[in-house]
Amino acid sequence: MSIATPTDDVPVRAPRSAWSRWTRPVLGLILPIGLAVAWEFAVRAGFSNGRLVPPPSVIFATFKELWQSGELQKHAFATSMRVAAGFGVGVVSGTVFGAITGYSALTRRLIDPSLQALRAIPSIAWVPLFILWFGIYEASKIILISVGVFFPVYLGVMGAIRSVDRKLVEVGRAFRLSPLAMVRRILLPAVLPAYVISLRTGLGLGWMFVVAAELLGASEGLGYLLIDGQQLGKPAQIVAAIVAFAIIGKITDWIIVLATAPLLRWEDTSARTEGN
Amino acid sequence: MLALDRVGKTYPNGVRALDGVTLAIKPGEILAIVGGSGCGKSTLLRAVSGLDRPTQGQVTLDNEKIEKPHEKIGIIFQEPRLLPWLTVADNVGFGLHDRPSSERKERVARALERVGMPEKAGAWPRELSGGQAQRVAIARALVPRPEVLLLDEPFSALDAFTRADLQDHLLKLWSDLKPTLVLVTHDVDEAVVLADRILVMRPRPGRVFEEIEADLPRPRDRQSAAFDFVKRRVLAALDRSLDRTVSVNEGQEKAETGAAMWW
Ligand SMILES: Nc1ncnc2c1ncn2[C@@H]1O[C@H](COP(=O)(O)OP(=O)(O)O)[C@@H](O)[C@H]1O
Ligand SMILES: [Mg+2]
């Protein structure tokens, strides 16, 4: 935040913060766009042939070409399906385990140490085992992704349930809520903000792990485009696939945010914007 | 009639928070409980509410034993404890969930009107001041029409002006349905303004030390001599409740508490 002097009053400060809300992202764009434009000119002027680092125009052309041939959609769809399946499995299992361990101290003491130990293993280390167990096709990929999604969701749900304000639970008790009503009317709404954050973290890890899974061998998917671009020496295709990853990843994150926004309107907005 | 019969509470860690409290509170009576910090006021109120169970004795309401929260007993805590994900109106209607929505809406609207904030129905709790939030909490507790309303230092976090305002609001709401009020407070003025009877408690173990009738006409005039007289009696009783001469055999414990530091 900017420095606020005691004499600053709200009407004076409001337009200034609205101004900085728009200029801040714009400031951040100057460097990448500037570099892209500079590189484009450098290649056009013949300072470099741009073979290993293709200029923006070539990347855009490759992107367009992949799109028009339907390749891009096909690969993006395959990757998205894997993420969706792995995300689904990871979220359901993470939520169930997180809810159980968050709710009951006994199961937490029983299960949590083992899960924490598993979490300490770099997940990519599982790949050879998963391939042995589940084969080289979809199953092992989806399971790897769901492992990546599982842990943030599990930790998020467990932490959220444990930190539910006991005083609000007591309000529920004073109004004689049944156990089910207590979950529905107090616990669920109370954990929702933290749950959404853990879903977004889990999704981000899902996208990370799908790349790992596809790099290790796939006949379709954006990760396949990456490997194919490397093997055939097509850097523009690699960058185009990376851009596609970025776009789809951001869109799916937005979907979570937009889908849950109506449920989180009550949250203190100042708390949400504080992280800027 | 709310009755406590030799109610005692020993916490699992061995603290005897309450010992042998016997009380009968008439329907519609306003009872204030004052006493030093740690003398078991909250413990007593929680036992009456059914949120905690006494370890000795029993609490009964109209001869029904209270062992868990009861629909005829409402409670207001020191903090408003509004549910932040519900609007003000939904918070007020929280205890009416099993009623048809038309009835719920009407009763919520009326309650908000009674606490003087009908325009806040759609607001979020975070948009309220401390005093407004506590008014919503009062409305929430009263809307199910409890026969007994328990209040644990409900106004202690508020400034003096807001506090006096809320005391007026509380009396106004009380006069609608005349529930039994049991009010824990550390503000002697508050006790004398509101209560028909004032109970002074003393600690270790928590028990009733003295009962003072506050038989003043309502509305009460804080400047009147009668008000001042009752207030002095309460203050004197509080001082005596901590006086070491009262319990010679507990001299060692008493040494920790300063005579006038009853709050
Ligand atoms: N949950 C608890 N466990 C153990 N001791 C408690 C607990 N709650 C209160 N006590 C003890 O019981 C005594 C009475 O507490 P409390 O009823 O909160 O007093 P008051 O509300 O009058 O300040 C105090 O000595 C306090 O430390
Ligand atoms: Mg207390």
Side-chain angles (χ1 to χ4, degrees):
Chain A
M1 285 312 280
S2 56
I3 299 159
T5 59
T7 52
D8 268 356
D9 49 12
V10 176
V12 176
R13 211 155 44 176
R16 202 193 296 162
S17 69
W19 184 81
S20 69
R21 203 165 96 204
W22 291 109
T23 51
R24 244 184 281 165
V26 170
L27 283 178
L29 286 175
I30 290 176
L31 186 64
I33 290 180
L35 281 177
V37 170
W39 187 241
E40 185 74 42
F41 275 113
V43 175
R44 297 237 168 148
F47 295 124
S48 162
N49 62 15
R51 235 182 46 74
L52 282 180
V53 186
S57 60
V58 175
I59 294 166
F60 184 73
T62 311
F63 200 92
K64 206 169 127 190
E65 199 179 296
L66 285 168
W67 177 272
Q68 276 163 350
S69 68
E71 287 276 289
L72 190 65
Q73 293 91 316
K74 182 183 95 184
H75 292 298
F77 181 76
T79 299
S80 303
M81 284 303 108
R82 286 179 187 132
V83 173
F87 184 68
V89 174
V91 165
V92 170
S93 50
T95 306
V96 168
F97 276 91
I100 293 172
T101 53
Y103 208 78
S104 131
L106 179 68
T107 47
R108 180 165 63 251
R109 289 192 195 108
L110 275 174
I111 304 175
D112 187 55
S114 309
L115 287 176
Q116 296 291 352
L118 290 179
R119 190 170 75 98
I121 301 169
S123 307
I124 309 294
W126 290 109
V127 168
L129 206 54
F130 284 173
I131 289 177
L132 274 183
W133 286 346
F134 309 112
I136 55 167
Y137 299 108
E138 294 305 305
S140 59
K141 294 188 179 61
I142 289 170
I143 287 169
L144 180 67
I145 295 164
S146 55
V147 167
V149 175
F150 173 84
F151 285 107
V153 174
Y154 165 72
L155 290 176
V157 171
M158 181 175 72
I161 290 184
R162 290 189 66 187
S163 59
V164 169
D165 191 349
R166 271 195 52 250
K167 293 181 167 175
L168 296 186
V169 175
E170 209 167 73
V171 170
R173 287 225 292 133
F175 279 99
R176 303 181 335 283
L177 297 188
S178 67
L180 196 69
M182 184 74 95
V183 169
R184 198 170 55 78
R185 299 181 67 191
I186 308 268
L187 296 182
L188 275 185
V191 303
L192 199 60
Y195 189 50
V196 169
I197 291 174
S198 70
L199 288 184
R200 293 177 66 188
T201 316
L203 184 66
L205 281 167
W207 282 104
M208 216 165 101
F209 278 58
V210 79
V211 180
E214 290 181 346
L215 283 181
L216 294 165
S219 54
E220 57 176 2
L222 291 173
Y224 164 81
L225 275 186
L226 294 175
I227 292 284
D228 188 59
Q230 177 213 323
Q231 283 167 350
L232 301 182
K234 295 189 284 192
Q237 181 179 317
I238 298 178
V239 180
I242 291 174
V243 171
F245 266 122
I247 293 172
I248 307 176
K250 191 70 199 168
I251 288 174
T252 49
D253 186 56
W254 264 334
I255 291 173
I256 296 186
V257 172
L258 290 181
T260 53
L263 299 172
L264 297 178
R265 264 183 315 148
W266 56 272
E267 259 194 309
D268 209 330
T269 40
S270 74
R272 252 191 293 176
T273 49
E274 214 129 51
N276 292 357
Chain B
M1 167 107 108
L2 179 66
L4 283 75
D5 181 23
R6 287 161 291 166
V7 169
K9 172 91 184 178
T10 307
Y11 282 106
N13 63 1
V15 174
R16 270 173 78 209
L18 219 53
D19 188 40
V21 175
T22 298
L23 272 176
I25 308 163
K26 292 193 295 285
E29 181 176 1
I30 304 182
L31 178 78
I33 301 176
V34 298
S37 168
C39 67
K41 306 184 296 292
S42 297
T43 305
L44 179 71
L45 219 58
R46 293 179 63 86
V48 175
S49 74
L51 286 170
D52 285 340
R53 284 203 212 172
T55 45
Q56 293 103 39
Q58 60 177 4
V59 179
T60 53
L61 177 62
D62 302 330
N63 296 320
E64 189 184 345
K65 193 168 171 187
I66 303 298
E67 295 181 296
K68 54 184 199 301
H70 191 284
E71 61 177 330
K72 289 183 185 168
I73 303 179
I75 184 162
I76 294 172
F77 302 95
Q78 185 169 356
E79 328 80 23
R81 300 200 187 178
L82 302 181
L83 303 173
W85 51 84
L86 295 181
T87 59
V88 164
D90 288 342
N91 264 290
V92 173
F94 190 77
L96 298 179
H97 219 249
D98 51 346
R99 305 299 165 93
S101 83
S102 57
E103 181 195 341
R104 190 164 68 226
K105 264 192 206 129
E106 190 206 308
R107 281 168 72 172
V108 166
R110 199 138 31 88
L112 280 173
E113 200 120 338
R114 283 307 265 163
V115 293
M117 33 196 308
E119 78 291 351
K120 293 284 187 192
W124 297 109
R126 66 176 151 89
E127 295 162 345
L128 305 179
S129 69
Q132 289 173 329
Q134 197 60 300
R135 271 193 272 169
V136 174
I138 294 174
R140 176 176 68 181
L142 280 171
V143 136
R145 300 181 185 142
E147 284 178 20
V148 176
L149 184 63
L150 311 170
L151 305 100
D152 193 354
E153 307 197 8
F155 310 137
S156 62
L158 305 171
D159 60 272
F161 186 76
T162 313
R163 198 183 308 159
D165 182 45
L166 285 199
Q167 289 160 1
D168 291 346
H169 269 290
L170 181 65
L171 275 182
K172 197 170 83 183
L173 291 166
W174 169 78
S175 66
D176 288 347
L177 293 164
K178 297 257 164 69
T180 307
L181 292 191
V182 183
L183 168 86
V184 166
T185 178
H186 59 218
D187 179 348
V188 175
D189 274 67
E190 181 167 289
V192 182
V193 164
L194 296 175
D196 298 313
R197 182 156 58 121
I198 298 162
L199 227 61
V200 179
M201 287 184 65
R202 54 169 316 211
R204 271 166 283 178
R207 68 218 117 126
V208 178
F209 177 69
E210 201 165 316
E211 261 185 54
I212 293 154
E213 296 289 330
D215 205 1
L216 309 171
R218 297 177 190 279
R220 292 179 179 172
D221 174 8
R222 290 166 196 251
Q223 257 67 53
S224 71
F227 184 98
D228 204 49
F229 176 73
V230 176
K231 187 177 157 186
R232 276 168 201 279
R233 280 191 61 196
V234 177
L235 283 170
L238 275 167
D239 260 346
R240 259 179 292 125
S241 79
L242 295 173
D243 194 336
R244 50 190 81 202
T245 58
V246 171
S247 54
V248 195
N249 51 348
E250 286 178 41
Q252 186 202 340
E253 281 175 34
K254 297 313 302 173
E256 297 159 22
T257 357
M261 299 291 287
W262 56 271
W263 58 86

